[in-house]
Amino acid sequence: QTCLLIGTEKDLDVKTSKYNALNFLPMNLFEQFQRLANAYFLFLLFLQLIPQISSLAWYTTVVPLMVVLSITAVKDFISAFFPPSIVKIRLWHAGIQGSLSCRIVTEKWMNVQVGDIIKLENNQIVTADILLLSSSEPYSLTYIETAELDGETNLKVKQAISVTSEMEDNLKLLSAFDGEVRCESPNNKLDKFTGILMYKGKNYILNHDRLILRGCVIRNTDWCYGLVIFTGPDTKVMQNSGKSTFKRTHIDHLMNVLVLWIFLFLGCMCFLLAVGHYIWENNKGYYFQDYLPWEDYVSSSVFSATLIFWSYFIILNTMVPISLYVSVEIIRLGNSFYINWDQKMFYEPKNMPAQARTTTLNEELGQVKYVFSDKTGTLTQNIMIFNKCSINGILYGMSLVSLGRYIPKEKVDFSYNKLADPKFSFYDKTLVEVVKKGDHWVHLFFLSLSLCHTVISEEKVEGELVYQAQSPDEGALVTAARNFGFVFRSRTSETIMVVEMGKTRIYQLLAILDFSNTRKRMSVIVRTPENRILLFCKGADTILCQLLHPSCRSLKDITMDHLDDFASDGLRTLMLAYRELDSAFFQDWSKKHSEACLSLENRENKISIVYEEIERDLMLLGATAIEDKLQDGVPETILTLNKAKIKIWVLTGDKQETAVNIAYACNIFEDEMDEIFIVEGNNGETVGGELRSAREKMKPGSLLESDPVNSYLTTKPQPPFKIPEEVPSGSYGLIINGYSLAHALEGNLELELLRTACMCKGVICCRMTPLQKAQVVELVKKYKKVVTLAIGDGANDVSMIKAAHIGVGISGQEGMQAMLSSDYAFSQFRYLQRLLLVHGRWSYNRMCKFLSYFFYKNFAFTLVHVWYAFYSGFSAQTVYDTWFITFYNLIYTSLPVLGLSLFDQDVNETWSLRFPELYEPGQHNLYFNKKEFVKCLLHGIYSSFVLFFIPMGTVYNSEISDYQSFSLIVQTSLLCVVTMQVLSGREEGKEGGKISLETTYWTMISHVFTWGSLGFYFCILFFLYSDGLCLLFPDTFQFLGVARNTLNLPQMWLSVVLSIILCMLPVIGYQFLKPLFWPIIDRIHHCMRHPLPYPIRTKLKHTASRRSAYAFSHKQGFGALITSGKTVKAKLPKRNSSHYKR
Amino acid sequence: MAMNYNAKDEVDGGPPCPPGGTAKTRRPDNTAFKQQRLPAWQPILTAGTVLPTFFIIGLIFIPIGIGIFVTSNNIREIEIDYTGTDPSSPCYKCLSPNVTPCICTINFTLDQSFEGNVFMYYGLSNFYQNHRRYVKSRDDGQLNGDPSALLNPSKECEPYRRNEDKPIAPCGAIANSMFNDTLELFQVGNASDLMPITLKKKGIAWWTDKNVKFRNPPGTDPLEERFKGTTKPVNWVKPVYMLDSDEDNNGFINEDFIVWMRTAALPTFRKLYRLIERKNDLHPTLPAGRYYLNITYNYPVHSFDGRKRMILSTISWMGGKNPFLGIAYITIGSISFLLGVVLLVINHKYRNSSNTADITI
């Protein structure tokens, strides 16, 4: 028994947390110790508890470990119990329930189960895959919009099978519905569905026309009932969205590799020192037993050396600093907050600030090389605007370029027309004046617009027309006609009612010559009230030109000029024409038409031949230009990103024409490009051939064996290989559609595709399924050592957002699917350049500086022990006080480095945006890589050498000879040196890349952090070495009085100054020489010296060449639907529906 | 019909706007901190700043180095190795452990008189007082006079924790190996008569050590009573409460003991042994001439190739004789200066070409 329900909407908290109050602590600890680093420190702790090898007090590890664990635990706690507000997902709940009382119950979508019957209403977003049973529209048609799924904005029709549509909204019948559906198992094919409905002993075939998919929006349909087939993860959209994987950055991977390297290095060191110990024990220790006997358990120096190995393992563990991971997290968190706080990424109209939904990917934003962008809703606003027109050779509508986009313009007053759409705006008064004057051609032009279309109108309130257009272009055209006084008011299957300048006229609709992809035009034939038969045709200019009557040749030339202008503004154009038909001729044609329609064989062909017979000798009316409105700043953004050597690929579900048009409009394709390749083969061979020939053209010789990449590929067939960058001979573009892509993504062709596509400056993939989008992203990820970013707004982008290294969600017009699975979210495409060039670049620089510095400071810190080993009998004696070791990473050096990595800016934001070239080093990962790491290691070794031998020279055989004073000198020098290193440092890099380890940007906070922490060190020093503390715990705090006695010795300060200078001199020299040989540093320095450049307005070049921009994003078959009368609502008496209400 | 709402208006990612249009704006605060616009100082290394730095460092370091070097050279210091490994040495006889007590005398000559306070050190070489096991082999609680630690010393003291079932005071390898040679100094007068030189044994330890860190077990009884129940370290001849007759310098607060307990950083070290205070302004503390060093040789170092030395030294404002710092300063100063010149040349050669390609805006 199934009953139904109606929807209302409620906020719903989606709790994703695995914790609750009770299990938090044990579970969190368990999880934390699963991390390698933490487990390692736990292991170290156990080692330290073994007295025989314990070379460090237990608290040196416990204190940092506790701090680290509690910071992470607090972070986890906050994210588990105080999730950021965005986790609150608004879900629609439309209802469902199985109770015997046959009521309509409201339920949350979350609770909807397979087999429930639910009721959907107009404008609802469907969140399950639903088999349509019945709807309010005639023939149980239901209109849906699938922009979320495929990016197409036109309406689509679904129809219920007749048996179920009879139930309409009769609750009794519906609740008694006991059909059984057998269907395929959940899969990701959006355009296929097969199943059988067994109902009342009969079987009915089900196909995808009966299925409303999750992510669709119900339009133009008051209500419909459906049976839930798939829910949640089984739905087609979710099946397409790919697995969400935990994303880690390249730096993360590098860090893990480096930590392994350090482990190896550590092992080697310990081994060497153990060998040293063995030799020492044999040569010296053995004889020194008078004063220092071997322990009972030590039988030989080999055994002793084995113990020493582990003792050194404990001492040198600070090379793998426990605080590394925590500090990295803190830095990333801080940089994420900067993104959230950025006012320049706040979108006022939607009250929507940018959101860093993931806090672990920041530095990757500074390394992006490929951007995969959706088109609809991301690049475009998904709004069509009637922008200009050319009527009878006269151009109306002002040029965008001459006006400038931002100059306020005066809107045309349409108050003379009561039926005008208030939202429509037009800026050329002359056209209105001409209309009012009653110009014949202009009237005919608008009449044609108001007649020749497949729009359906709705007039719920008198005078308030709502158009349901199948494509937004058409909607824009009919709305334009409506505003200028030719209002399309309603239609039946045989008539069209038009209000012409206030007068209602009814045209008889004789035929609709429907649109098809090959025809690229549509026509209507109408009989006017004056009994004239007119044919109105609109279509692509390239097609329509050939059908014109020879007499309008001169007009055609002028109009073509205008079309060129339109195209150069990136507008979508259409040509309009008409023809007056002779009644007899039409009768004759009509007969042929009916015959053709009835013929069984080759019907399509025959019909189109018949159509061609009548669609000729047309008289040109004019042309329209529609702006597919781009989001603000899109072309500028793409230009900037291109300069930063970021490649942009558009992956869209939309048609090729529309996609290419947008690609030109937003600078992805340029007219200066040498060639644009189109891949549209229908099988693997042709596609492969097309790809290969394209590559041959871009880089002659690239198909030969001798090509380095080819020979590389033949020699290295192991799967995880990367294809090196290939440089084409010019700038090229590539267009590939979904069908060809399916072939290209198969097996051996994927490499061809990748190599060809990666050489192109811009790539457009159209007609893509969501899964294909992900596949393309995966392909690039797999074979290219680059960081990819996917940006999109719809449910169809979820898969690629999840697949890419970084997913960016545009919080678009509808739905939040994309945003919810994204890592970063904002509401305008143009914020992308700020995210990458400013925040990404800073984050990357900061992270790199942090890592180099962090590794350096720990090497310098730890390796001093190694030098000391040579003078302390390799006995694993530490140089420093144990408390210094405990606090070194935690307190003494953490603040300066945090200051560095949270506040540093090598160049300010204005310069980052002005010189996108500054972004390039990040893409090649120049600022921190294995080479840089080795440099850090060498630098650390040098510093530790200086830091040990200068103090040693100072105290050697002198009156300050005691160990504790020596410790104090070394640790004070160390701290001064590493702190100085923050403020002045090194620059490294190769091939123009560079990093300055120094803080280049000194804010007050950096000052406080740096000097404060140095001062803090001395305070702690006096505290730790104070009488009281030492008397309370004499065994733990042994350094009583050392600070007082040693800090006033001049030798000590002379030695500290000497260490600092000796550590800094080579660094300063190196850094000074660097810009002489690497000019990019010069540029950065220049930028630093001149904080504010003069703003330059990017001048947008508009493409000059002509493109056939056919404006229909249309589907075939609507014409037939209209003439058959199915779309016309029967004026059924409205039933009293009060009993549905709650 | 049921509720009619427009999906477009509702699902915009923002919070639902309460009716009345008083929607709370989520615009981020416009603070310098949040917008990363904090005023900042950006130091840049240019020829104008770096080159002078190098020269200035050179110009500062070289004079300092010379100053330190001269000061260090003016310090009078004499070092006498009395280990006795050389058969010709008077202490050669003491190498054999059978001769006890063994007293040997070494004579030496001061070419120049020592003025001001003179410090007398003993120096050991190849003695690993910084070995980890050695360093930790002590009980600071016991040394601080903790009665419980006195009778139950820390495990760290093993194997010098207990002897014959009695706790050792002071326990541990450090205390056990305390230096116990006695050094005496005599000036050879004009008539070859020996004038003993007063060696002051107080004031050689840090004040903090003597008064805070090291304390005898509490009580008013004689020291012997307070140390009751403990035994002397294995190597020691006398128990700890008999180190000195002076009550203020006996037991754990004996300064020789305290100095020894402050372990050395390196295997070659010197420790302060005695002070020779200057007499008055007219006479040098140690006039030039011949001296006798009288050694009661108790401390064997021969077995591990160790060396023993006696050092007499005056001090200056920067402590004792230390040629290292002076030489290091002069070297670094010169290197810095040289680097400055080299950089200047390089800068001249390359900067011109790179500067011409300045950024054109």
Side-chain angles (χ1 to χ4, degrees), chain A residues 92 121 123-124 291 341 348 351 846 868 871 875 954 961-963 1002 1038 1054 1062 1071 1137 1141, chain B residues 1-2 5 7 11 24 26-27 35-36 41-42 45 130 132 213 262-263 265 270 300 322 329 332:
Chain A
W92 308 100
E121 291 174 347
N123 294 333
Q124 261 188 341
Y291 296 122
W341 286 336
E348 191 82 62
N351 196 16
R846 286 167 184 171
Y868 193 46
Y871 296 90
S875 60
T954 313
S961 64
D962 72 297
Y963 162 73
W1002 279 90
Q1038 298 173 332
L1054 287 172
L1062 205 54
Q1071 192 180 5
S1137 56
K1141 287 180 183 163
Chain B
M1 291 301 280
Y5 50 80
V11 193
K24 193 179 140 232
R26 297 163 76 197
R27 173 183 280 278
Q35 302 304 318
Q36 305 198 62
W41 166 63
Q42 291 191 298
L45 296 184
N130 59 2
R132 177 171 56 88
K213 197 172 180 183
R262 184 155 282 283
T263 53
R270 59 171 72 165
N322 191 348
Y329 264 76
I332 305 297

Side-chain angles (χ1 to χ4, degrees), chain A residues 470-727:
Chain A
Q470 190 214 14
S471 77
D473 299 61
E474 215 167 41
L477 290 175
V478 180
T479 309
R482 164 182 167 186
N483 275 44
F484 283 101
F486 289 78
V487 187
F488 161 70
R489 193 144 189 187
S490 67
R491 69 156 85 227
T492 67
S493 58
E494 276 133 32
T495 56
I496 298 174
M497 190 203 284
V498 176
V499 182
E500 273 181 53
M501 300 307 284
K503 278 175 282 172
T504 304
R505 284 160 65 93
I506 294 180
Y507 290 83
Q508 235 186 317
L509 182 62
L510 298 175
I512 295 181
L513 284 59
D514 201 7
F515 167 84
S516 85
N517 272 326
T518 43
R519 280 163 42 80
K520 298 196 173 184
R521 62 184 182 269
M522 76 165 287
S523 307
V524 290
I525 303 172
V526 292
R527 192 191 300 272
T528 64
E530 293 84 26
N531 211 10
R532 289 160 70 198
I533 297 175
L534 290 175
L535 177 142
F536 291 104
C537 180
K538 70 176 174 186
D541 39 356
T542 44
I543 305 279
L544 228 58
C545 280
Q546 295 155 12
L547 306 174
L548 292 180
H549 195 267
S551 64
C552 27
R553 173 174 296 268
S554 62
L555 178 58
K556 185 179 92 180
D557 291 342
I558 300 170
T559 310
M560 280 305 192
D561 282 347
H562 291 164
L563 282 171
D564 284 346
D565 288 349
F566 297 162
S568 69
D569 285 347
L571 302 174
R572 297 160 71 147
T573 55
L574 266 184
M575 228 178 193
L576 301 181
Y578 83 105
R579 182 183 177 194
E580 182 137 18
L581 296 173
D582 184 49
S583 181
F585 175 74
F586 174 71
Q587 295 298 342
D588 197 25
W589 179 84
S590 188
K591 226 178 275 169
K592 280 189 209 165
H593 180 219
S594 341
E595 273 170 29
C597 287
L598 291 173
S599 72
L600 295 172
E601 279 167 37
N602 218 358
R603 199 176 64 176
E604 300 271 308
N605 223 351
K606 279 182 187 161
I607 290 179
S608 72
I609 292 169
V610 175
Y611 282 175
E612 265 165 43
E613 258 174 55
I614 201 161
E615 281 173 337
R616 59 190 168 78
D617 295 339
L618 302 174
M619 302 300 292
L620 183 60
L621 275 172
T624 60
I626 286 180
E627 189 184 354
D628 185 358
K629 217 162 183 266
L630 292 177
Q631 289 198 4
D632 289 340
V634 166
E636 292 89 343
T637 304
I638 286 177
L639 216 61
T640 313
L641 295 183
N642 272 337
K643 271 197 220 157
K645 296 268 159 45
I646 297 173
K647 291 191 173 175
I648 296 165
W649 294 19
V650 176
L651 311 183
T652 177
D654 210 343
K655 297 190 161 187
Q656 185 173 321
E657 289 88 347
T658 357
V660 171
N661 187 285
I662 291 300
Y664 274 104
C666 54
N667 284 327
I668 291 172
F669 283 174
E670 285 157 1
D671 282 311
E672 292 86 51
M673 281 187 158
D674 295 300
E675 191 170 346
I676 286 163
F677 306 106
I678 300 174
V679 177
E680 46 195 356
N682 274 328
N683 56 51
E685 274 170 49
T686 24
V687 171
E690 280 168 329
L691 289 172
R692 268 187 288 272
S693 69
R695 200 164 80 239
E696 173 72 32
K697 257 185 206 155
M698 281 191 277
K699 189 184 167 195
S702 67
L703 297 182
L704 303 175
E705 289 275 312
S706 56
D707 185 72
V709 181
N710 288 338
S711 49
Y712 168 79
L713 285 176
T714 45
T715 52
K716 245 191 171 178
Q718 266 95 353
F721 61 89
K722 303 284 177 191
I723 293 179
E725 194 82 11
E726 291 176 274
V727 186

Side-chain angles (χ1 to χ4, degrees), chain A residues 292-322:
Chain A
L292 184 63
W294 286 0
E295 307 270 9
D296 314 329
Y297 48 81
V298 175
S299 49
S300 69
S301 33
V302 175
F303 184 64
S304 176
T306 318
L307 294 181
I308 283 294
F309 176 86
W310 291 108
S311 300
Y312 268 114
F313 195 77
I314 295 171
I315 288 194
L316 300 183
N317 83 73
T318 41
M319 272 204 284
V320 191
I322 188 168

Side-chain angles (χ1 to χ4, degrees), chain A residues 129 131 180-187 189-197 204-211 213 229-230 236:
Chain A
D129 289 355
L131 175 70
E180 188 183 333
V181 174
R182 295 202 173 164
C183 66
E184 61 189 12
S185 52
N187 60 50
K189 294 191 182 88
L190 285 175
D191 53 350
K192 285 217 171 68
F193 176 74
T194 49
I196 296 171
L197 172 68
Y204 302 90
I205 305 279
L206 304 175
N207 59 18
H208 82 280
D209 280 339
R210 320 284 180 216
L211 200 67
L213 298 181
I229 302 283
F230 298 128
K236 300 228 173 211

